[in-house]
């Protein structure tokens, strides 16, 4: 593998690991707060007789209003722009901007707010000049990352806002952490963007679902 090809493996994944270490700030559940919340629910619950009486006298309009009030709230989608303003994504619910943690090599980074198996699912995007033989570079990168103990598979291409994005899936162990990483490599305006999703095997399904939503929301500026 050339030095240029290895740059993509090294810079993207180094940034990924910086923002994806073990959780150290999850904290314990506050028993007092939990008890207070439970007491509040109990205090505001109507007795069975009152609930029955209310049900019998409620009008259809009142029932409709109650159903609307108890419907699930709409989740606000938060947009996140690349540091060089080349594209914008929509972050999944319960994900946050992680650009500061990812370092200077990344033009965008976002991660889940809650860890799965002490690991934060995350996406990191790095950017550089295009490579002459992109498909070969991707295959070589996968083999290099997987090493002798991991696995690497080239994925079918998809479109990211109208641009072809070739894929790579790698399962490997790094610093005693089992990782599942999916990359999408896409060229746009004389630049090459490598979009890297990282998770643990336990969090892979949720991570890949969120990743698909991120890629679907991708807009070039």
């Amino acid at each position: 593998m050339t030095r240029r090809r290895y740059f993509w493996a090294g810079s993207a994944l180094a940034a990924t690991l910086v923002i994806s270490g073990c959780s150290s700030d999850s904290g314990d559940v506050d028993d007092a707060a939990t008890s207070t919340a439970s007491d509040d629910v109990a205090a505001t619950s109507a007795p069975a007789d009152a609930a029955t009486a209310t049900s019998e006298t409620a009008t259809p309009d009142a029932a409709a209003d109650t159903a609307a009030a108890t419907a699930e709230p709409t989740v606000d989608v938060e947009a996140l722009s690349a540091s060089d303003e080349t594209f914008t994504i929509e972050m999944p619910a319960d994900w946050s901007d992680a650009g500061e943690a990812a370092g200077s090599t990344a033009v965008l980074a976002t991660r889940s707010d809650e860890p799965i198996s002490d690991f934060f699912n995350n996406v990191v995007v790095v950017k550089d000049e295009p490579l002459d033989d992109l498909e070969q570079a991707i295959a070589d990168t996968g083999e290099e990352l997987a090493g002798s103990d991991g696995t690497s598979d080239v994925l079918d291409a998809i479109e990211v806002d109208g641009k072809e994005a070739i894929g790579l899936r790698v399962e490997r162990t790094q610093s005693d952490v089992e990782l599942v990483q999916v990359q999408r490599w896409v060229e746009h305006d004389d630049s090459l963007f490598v979009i890297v999703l990282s998770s643990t095997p336990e969090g892979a399904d949720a991570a890949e679902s969120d990743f698909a939503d991120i890629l679907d929301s991708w807009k070039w500026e």
Side-chain angles (χ1 to χ4, degrees):
M1 179 186 295
T2 66
R3 181 180 297 274
R4 285 266 290 122
R5 288 176 182 173
Y6 188 74
F7 165 81
W8 291 109
S11 64
L13 297 177
T16 298
L17 294 176
V18 166
I19 69 170
S20 307
C22 293
S23 171
S24 60
D25 57 358
S26 58
D28 296 326
V29 176
D30 188 332
D31 291 336
T34 304
S35 297
T36 301
S38 300
D39 292 342
D40 289 343
V41 170
T44 57
S45 299
D49 292 343
T52 302
T54 302
S55 175
E56 290 175 349
T57 59
T59 65
D61 289 342
D65 291 341
T66 301
T70 57
E72 291 186 4
T74 301
V75 177
D76 292 331
V77 176
E78 185 175 354
L80 181 63
S81 296
S83 59
D84 62 353
E85 300 182 346
T86 51
F87 63 90
T88 300
I89 66 163
E90 292 178 356
M91 290 185 291
D94 301 322
W95 282 53
S96 300
D97 182 3
E100 292 186 2
S104 60
T105 59
V107 294
L108 181 143
T110 178
R111 78 172 192 183
S112 60
D113 294 335
E114 297 295 332
I116 298 177
S117 299
D118 291 329
F119 189 93
F120 295 92
N121 295 342
N122 68 90
V123 171
V124 176
V125 185
V126 294
K127 171 188 172 185
D128 199 10
E129 298 176 1
L131 298 172
D132 293 335
D133 189 345
L134 183 57
E135 292 189 12
Q136 187 60 51
I138 292 172
D140 290 346
T141 296
E143 292 178 5
E144 181 73 17
L145 293 175
S148 59
D149 298 326
T151 62
S152 171
D153 296 294
V154 176
L155 305 176
D156 292 337
I158 62 172
E159 283 196 357
V160 174
D161 194 20
K163 300 291 184 178
E164 183 181 68
I166 303 175
L168 178 67
R169 180 186 177 92
V170 177
E171 297 189 19
R172 60 199 287 261
T173 299
Q174 176 73 29
S175 301
D176 296 326
V177 178
E178 292 185 22
L179 296 176
V180 177
Q181 294 172 309
V182 178
Q183 299 184 8
R184 287 291 174 182
W185 302 47
V186 56
E187 294 181 352
H188 175 72
D189 282 351
D190 298 322
S191 294
L192 175 63
F193 295 81
V194 179
I195 312 161
V196 184
L197 167 73
S198 295
S199 70
T200 58
E202 295 81 4
D205 288 344
E208 292 185 37
S209 176
D210 287 335
F211 192 43
D213 290 341
I214 288 173
L215 296 180
D216 285 344
S217 73
W218 192 290
K219 298 296 181 186
W220 301 108
E221 298 293 341

